[in-house]
Amino acid sequence: MKGRFTKILFLKLLLFTFSCEIEEVGTLNLLTEEIVNVSGERAVVLGRIIAFENIPVEDHGFYFAEEESFLDPIIISLGATERPGRFVGEVSGLQLGKNYFVKAFVVRAGEMIFANTLSFETLNPSILRYEPLVQFGGGEVIITGINLADDTRVFFGDREAEVREVIFGFQVRVTVPPIASSISEQIRVVTRGIELEVETPFRYAVGKFNLLDANALEGLSIVENIYFQQGERFFAGMGRDSGNQSTDFIWEYNFAQGEWVKTGFEARMQRAASDSHTGYFGGGFFQTNIFGPQIPSDNYWHFDGLEYKELPPAPINISDGFGYEIQGQFYIAGGTIGVGSQVYRYDPASNAWEIRPNLPSNVDKGMVHFVYNDHLYWIDRDNNLIQYNPFTAQSQTVSRYPSPMIENTTDSGGFALVMGDKVFIGLYNNAREIWELDMEILDWGRKQNFTGDARGRITGAYSKDGILYFLRSYLVNPRTEFWEFDPEAF
Amino acid sequence: MKKLSSYILILFSLFLIYACIDVFPFENERPEPILALEGYITTIPKVHRIRLSRADRFSPDFNGLNRPETLAKVLIKDNLGNVEVLTESTAGVYLTQENFAAKVGKTYNLEIILNDGRRFISRPETVAPAPLVDSLSYRAVRTASENSFIDEVGVRIFAHFQDPPDQQNYYFWNMLPSDFQLVAEPELNLNSPFHPTCPRCPNPLECCRICYFSERPSPPNVNTAEDSDFNGLYQNIPIAYIRDNGLRFKGIYKAKIQHLSVSQNAYRHLTLIGQQVGLTGSVFDPPPANIRGNLINLDDPEDTPLGYFFASDEIPLETYIHPERLEFVFRPQTLFPTDCRAYVVGIGIVRPNDPQIPPADWNPNR
């Protein structure tokens, strides 16, 4: 009897067990699995339906809300599904810097089933940088930051700029509004109602050109010449004329009369000479006339403001080489004949030349070069701005000239004028661009493009009272024009 | 009667024929090419590389190519919202900027927008710090090979480091293309078999005996470890193995290895990859399988892209393996009976301009 009772009990327990299992069939577990990614206004969330058979649900997705009670939720509905597995929810348009809650849901047989709740915080926006720092009105500036929403607006001062594109929430392309009353404006960015101010003020690319003399230098179009400045006196001359006329002179600009007049210095036809732009010049080729033989010249002079003093002959023939003055000593270097990196120095104290360490690469006069803080700088034909210490013979590339150069077209000529910590560089042959280089931070700022005929070459460059002056010679309709450029005017 | 039987037979045959050519409703399931991802980022500032391709079906009847996934937009985002946009250098290869580096403690996602509009995002990966390796050592090892008469000989490299006791650590050691001295025997040079007067005649050369080349170490092992068995203990653990092919260790070999910290999921993925890479065809091998990565298709969660994007703290390691300091090397060593400059480098390895000049960072006597 006892054994029978035990058997019945065991049978009942077995039935209970089976009945439990039958009830389990058709159930599902729902999981809000992981916050995959959160940015300023967007979140990506993973959810999962766990079941051991296909369970059709009418809808599934996620609830997002700022309160855990989900009173006013943003519902991401992914529609009906029949199979268990992972699903992805992506929400955008969230408020920046807010705490949010999210939970997965399914609707099954009309019943809403929710999963566990996760929380996350959307990120705050900020501005990292913008470039270029200087641009024309109507040009484009790219502002880089983090967590910028699609509704981002940008203001230059009080004027709103046209936002062309918000790229992946970290870059904004804007069109700079036309210049108003100031060359500098503060940039403000408003995204999802949050206002951000950019630290560095934006500067407009400005500058105004004025043609002073359309036919300077007596109508000649001089090339391969030298030019220099003594105090506020501008000089240019030697070289040759593109029309094969003699240019055996040096002219000086007379501000009172507004014209270039010949000085007492009569040079032989000496072209492709090196000059420091400070009064030292010489070398290159000597020709008796434009069709005569080219004889390397070792004649060098120095104009001290009063007279032209002849220097001892240089121990090397240099044509189209660099000339530069550092600490009162005159250097000649490179050129297109012989070794293109040799350096010689003239010391006025000893009235003698001496050889110096070679430059790290070949240079010639077609490369813009200048002296700043007793260092030589030049821009090679790969746009690299190279700094060279003449005392330690160490060199390094410190920046790049921003405008593209076209080989044999716009990669030669140009000018560089040092004005305090700023260097104005540009107007290469057949090019219009002028840049302002801040030597302290090595930042390039665009200036207004040259408004005259671009198909010319610089044959003189000077500065006075913050204004740039330059001579530009033309081979077509041969002439030399004299221009002034106010870099701050607009 | 006989005629009737013939008719019945023909009719029956016809039935049979029709039954044979009944169309079986079969559809060849040709899956869409799957996105495959290769690449990771580390804490070393450099150009980091992500490669995207479309993994196609592979079967005995070859009918698919792993085509590069071109013109995609590839972004790396961190948990603060910083975005690194990668640029495509060659087809399907996307590069970060030169100075890009992951930072320890930050979390990264890779986001991909394909040219056809499909969007993918990786699950978040957080960079854990990698403990410093204080020493490296190596020793020659001999293992049985399929050829019972010739054992395989190789060099196993060991890392010595203190495993941090306060955290769960997962390690991955990745062997990089490594430099080695190729020792040749130019004095044993022979004429070519097509020599007009004396084919295969001895023609000793004066140059060159030693050259420097790079190679991708073989076999391509995936070396991983996790510290559940040795948490907090000082370790002397094998991190790389280089097979001696008779040529590699005739001269000095400079092994370059990345010591990387990885997440638990990345470790699991890499370990499974290692198992697949190491399949030998024996009955003890795991079955070949597609290993799920951490990419999610934002538009189709059923999609299963391949590959795993992870972010690691990297400590670069290198060691010079001197043949005279090895217990033994593979015998007989392989002869290279001509000018060492005739060596052909492997695919993807840049051939040096002048193989006789050691690499700039070659310094075996330090």
Side-chain angles (χ1 to χ4, degrees):
Chain A
M1 185 66 187
K2 194 179 174 185
R4 196 174 167 189
F5 179 74
T6 310
K7 280 179 186 170
I8 291 169
L9 187 66
F10 178 74
L11 202 64
K12 278 196 169 182
L13 279 172
L14 208 67
L15 280 175
F16 266 118
T17 310
F18 274 112
S19 62
C20 286
E21 282 189 359
I22 288 165
E23 274 187 11
E24 277 292 314
V25 172
T27 61
L28 61 84
N29 281 317
L30 186 62
L31 196 63
T32 313
E33 195 175 6
E34 186 177 22
I35 310 291
V36 175
N37 180 256
V38 177
S39 63
E41 58 164 0
R42 190 187 83 148
V44 178
V45 188
L46 270 185
R48 185 181 285 195
I49 299 170
I50 302 166
F52 292 94
E53 61 179 321
N54 284 356
I55 295 182
V57 295
E58 290 99 86
D59 194 6
H60 71 302
F62 294 94
Y63 270 42
F64 292 85
E66 289 185 40
E67 312 84 26
E68 201 167 0
S69 55
F70 290 91
L71 287 176
D72 184 20
I74 302 167
I75 302 170
I76 302 297
S77 171
L78 301 172
T81 183
E82 292 193 343
R83 289 194 288 183
R86 182 179 286 160
F87 55 97
V88 188
E90 183 183 13
V91 65
S92 56
L94 301 176
Q95 294 298 311
L96 304 172
K98 293 269 185 184
N99 200 54
Y100 281 89
F101 296 91
V102 58
K103 59 183 178 182
F105 76 90
V106 295
V107 180
R108 187 181 174 218
E111 184 192 359
M112 180 83 85
I113 303 167
F114 288 107
N116 56 309
T117 300
L118 298 179
S119 69
F120 62 88
E121 190 174 346
T122 54
L123 302 174
N124 279 309
S126 74
I127 300 297
L128 303 176
R129 62 185 177 276
Y130 70 93
E131 55 191 11
L133 300 177
V134 180
Q135 182 58 287
F136 300 108
E140 183 179 284
V141 164
I142 295 178
I143 300 168
T144 303
I146 55 173
N147 308 310
L148 302 171
D150 288 339
D151 69 346
T152 298
R153 299 165 69 195
V154 178
F155 296 86
F156 286 68
D158 296 330
R159 293 168 305 138
E160 184 167 2
E162 179 199 345
V163 173
R164 293 182 182 179
E165 187 182 11
V166 180
I167 307 167
F168 301 122
F170 84 109
Q171 278 187 332
V172 187
R173 287 174 55 219
V174 291
T175 304
V176 179
I179 189 167
S181 56
S182 170
I183 64 166
S184 175
E185 296 280 15
Q186 202 70 40
I187 296 180
R188 290 182 300 122
V189 176
V190 180
T191 181
R192 285 269 183 268
I194 297 175
E195 184 170 318
L196 308 162
E197 194 156 287
V198 180
E199 277 185 19
T200 312
F202 168 80
R203 283 180 296 141
Y204 277 96
V206 293
K208 199 170 184 180
F209 293 89
N210 184 29
L211 180 60
L212 297 177
D213 189 347
N215 230 351
L217 307 183
E218 303 173 20
L220 298 176
S221 169
I222 62 167
V223 289
E224 299 181 342
N225 63 306
I226 58 105
Y227 66 87
F228 58 90
Q229 180 171 355
Q230 278 280 344
E232 295 187 346
R233 298 170 66 187
F234 305 162
F235 298 86
M238 298 212 308
R240 67 178 175 89
D241 170 56
S242 63
N244 290 337
Q245 294 186 50
S246 168
T247 57
D248 301 349
F249 308 102
I250 289 181
W251 288 267
E252 179 181 0
Y253 186 67
N254 186 319
F255 274 93
Q257 297 173 7
E259 63 177 359
W260 287 84
V261 294
K262 285 176 184 162
T263 66
F265 181 77
E266 288 191 10
R268 295 176 302 180
M269 184 183 278
Q270 190 166 337
R271 61 182 186 81
S274 302
D275 68 307
S276 65
H277 306 322
T278 58
Y280 286 101
F281 57 91
F285 288 112
F286 161 72
Q287 280 177 284
T288 52
N289 62 65
I290 198 71
F291 302 109
Q294 296 183 9
I295 304 162
S297 170
D298 57 5
N299 293 339
Y300 284 83
W301 288 275
H302 177 233
F303 181 70
D304 61 3
L306 297 172
E307 58 178 353
Y308 293 94
K309 180 188 166 191
E310 189 163 2
L311 310 185
I316 186 174
N317 292 321
I318 283 185
S319 169
D320 271 325
F322 276 9
Y324 50 96
E325 182 181 341
I326 295 176
Q327 294 187 356
Q329 295 171 317
F330 177 48
Y331 293 75
I332 53 175
T336 53
I337 53 174
V339 178
S341 59
Q342 273 193 313
V343 181
Y344 278 81
R345 180 173 73 184
Y346 169 73
D347 184 0
S350 61
N351 194 31
W353 294 89
E354 62 176 326
I355 193 167
R356 301 295 302 159
N358 283 19
L359 295 181
S361 58
N362 290 1
V363 297
D364 62 69
K365 202 176 175 182
M367 299 176 185
V368 161
H369 61 283
F370 60 91
V371 173
Y372 174 78
N373 275 353
D374 291 340
H375 286 70
L376 172 68
Y377 291 82
W378 72 90
I379 297 171
D380 68 16
R381 290 194 169 84
D382 294 324
N383 290 43
N384 297 312
L385 174 64
I386 298 163
Q387 180 197 56
Y388 177 75
N389 185 331
F391 307 105
T392 62
Q394 298 293 308
S395 67
Q396 59 174 331
T397 300
V398 292
S399 185
R400 280 178 62 79
Y401 182 66
S403 287
M405 291 183 185
I406 303 168
E407 192 175 353
N408 298 326
T409 305
T410 63
D411 63 348
S412 287
F415 75 93
L417 279 175
V418 180
M419 295 168 69
D421 290 324
K422 304 282 174 64
V423 185
F424 291 89
I425 300 174
L427 285 184
Y428 277 76
N429 296 348
N430 309 309
R432 293 181 183 278
E433 295 90 359
I434 293 184
W435 293 86
E436 179 184 325
L437 172 62
D438 186 326
M439 293 300 291
E440 291 188 321
I441 56 173
L442 291 171
D443 173 57
W444 297 84
R446 190 79 183 261
K447 305 308 289 185
Q448 193 62 255
N449 279 349
F450 179 48
T451 51
D453 188 350
R455 294 168 300 172
R457 56 183 65 187
I458 288 292
T459 47
Y462 320 91
S463 65
K464 180 185 170 191
D465 301 331
I467 308 291
L468 279 64
Y469 298 86
F470 58 90
L471 289 164
R472 196 151 168 95
S473 297
Y474 297 88
L475 303 182
V476 179
N477 298 326
R479 65 195 187 280
T480 299
E481 293 178 346
F482 186 50
W483 290 79
E484 73 172 7
F485 175 64
D486 183 347
E488 299 299 318
F490 61 93
Chain B
M1 185 65 191
K2 195 178 175 186
K3 201 172 183 180
L4 185 67
S5 300
S6 300
Y7 280 127
I8 289 168
L9 187 66
I10 290 167
L11 202 64
F12 185 70
S13 302
L14 266 174
F15 269 119
L16 272 183
I17 290 165
Y18 273 109
C20 285
I21 61 167
D22 202 6
V23 177
F24 180 72
F26 171 75
E27 282 183 22
N28 185 8
E29 283 187 17
R30 184 178 178 85
E32 284 294 309
I34 305 169
L35 176 69
L37 154 80
E38 298 163 62
Y40 56 93
I41 57 172
T42 74
T43 50
I44 300 288
K46 61 182 174 186
V47 174
H48 298 266
R49 200 181 81 124
I50 301 289
R51 183 166 174 260
L52 300 180
S53 57
R54 279 176 250 166
D56 214 330
R57 189 170 60 169
F58 181 75
S59 70
D61 303 322
F62 176 73
N63 44 21
L65 279 173
N66 285 4
R67 299 183 190 282
E69 193 64 67
T70 59
L71 301 176
K73 293 185 176 72
V74 182
L75 317 169
I76 295 170
K77 295 181 170 180
D78 71 15
N79 56 329
L80 300 180
N82 293 300
V83 178
E84 173 75 10
V85 180
L86 283 74
T87 52
E88 190 171 7
S89 60
T90 54
V93 177
Y94 299 84
L95 306 178
T96 66
Q97 294 184 51
E98 280 182 13
N99 55 355
F100 178 78
K103 288 189 171 57
V104 171
K106 277 192 175 181
T107 301
Y108 293 87
N109 295 90
L110 180 76
E111 195 163 338
I112 300 165
I113 304 164
L114 298 184
N115 197 31
D116 62 9
R118 285 184 294 156
R119 300 175 307 144
F120 298 83
I121 192 166
S122 72
R123 296 177 77 170
E125 280 283 309
T126 303
V127 182
L132 283 175
V133 172
D134 54 48
S135 306
L136 285 176
S137 62
Y138 55 84
R139 67 165 176 258
V141 289
R142 193 189 302 274
T143 48
S145 71
E146 290 176 1
N147 186 335
S148 54
F149 296 103
I150 305 173
D151 286 343
E152 180 177 308
V153 173
V155 175
R156 188 155 284 151
I157 301 172
F158 296 82
H160 306 249
F161 61 94
Q162 175 65 51
D163 180 69
D166 53 344
Q167 56 187 251
Q168 186 80 34
N169 294 95
Y170 300 90
Y171 302 101
F172 171 41
W173 294 279
N174 186 34
M175 280 220 72
L176 299 174
S178 301
D179 303 323
F180 70 103
Q181 272 182 335
L182 176 73
V183 180
E185 292 79 18
E187 67 278 7
L188 301 180
N189 184 57
L190 302 178
N191 279 340
S192 95
F194 308 107
H195 195 277
T197 55
C198 188
R200 298 186 192 281
C201 290
N203 179 17
L205 300 175
E206 289 185 3
C207 185
C208 298
R209 186 169 172 73
I210 293 180
C211 291
Y212 297 85
F213 290 101
S214 286
E215 68 151 14
R216 209 169 287 280
S218 171
N221 290 328
V222 180
N223 295 288
T224 55
E226 55 117 351
D227 66 355
S228 59
D229 294 334
F230 56 78
N231 189 30
L233 299 178
Y234 188 81
Q235 283 306 299
N236 172 13
I237 194 168
I239 62 168
Y241 171 76
I242 307 163
R243 186 189 296 136
D244 186 352
N245 59 357
L247 202 62
R248 283 194 183 105
F249 300 109
K250 281 169 79 179
I252 298 170
Y253 193 98
K254 181 183 182 183
K256 296 179 181 175
I257 305 163
Q258 288 175 308
H259 172 65
L260 302 163
S261 65
V262 292
S263 66
Q264 184 180 12
N265 288 334
Y267 164 77
R268 189 180 300 130
H269 182 88
L270 290 164
T271 306
L272 291 171
I273 291 284
Q275 288 176 3
Q276 295 289 315
V277 168
L279 291 181
T280 59
S282 80
V283 292
F284 302 106
D285 281 343
N290 274 354
I291 302 161
R292 289 200 70 156
N294 65 344
L295 273 187
I296 301 162
N297 185 330
L298 284 170
D299 308 309
D300 177 13
E302 300 288 317
D303 190 10
T304 54
L306 299 174
Y308 197 100
F309 170 75
F310 61 93
S312 291
D313 185 18
E314 175 186 348
I315 297 171
L317 306 174
E318 59 182 42
T319 183
Y320 290 90
I321 300 170
H322 296 258
E324 68 274 13
R325 295 177 196 168
L326 290 171
E327 295 84 349
F328 48 85
V329 291
F330 185 78
R331 297 287 180 196
Q333 290 195 318
T334 306
L335 294 178
F336 196 81
T338 186
D339 184 346
C340 65
R341 292 175 296 183
Y343 181 78
V344 178
V345 298
I347 295 169
I349 301 291
V350 178
R351 184 182 172 81
N353 287 332
D354 184 354
Q356 284 187 276
I357 300 173
D361 57 350
W362 183 269
N363 185 14
N365 300 318
R366 65 182 177 181

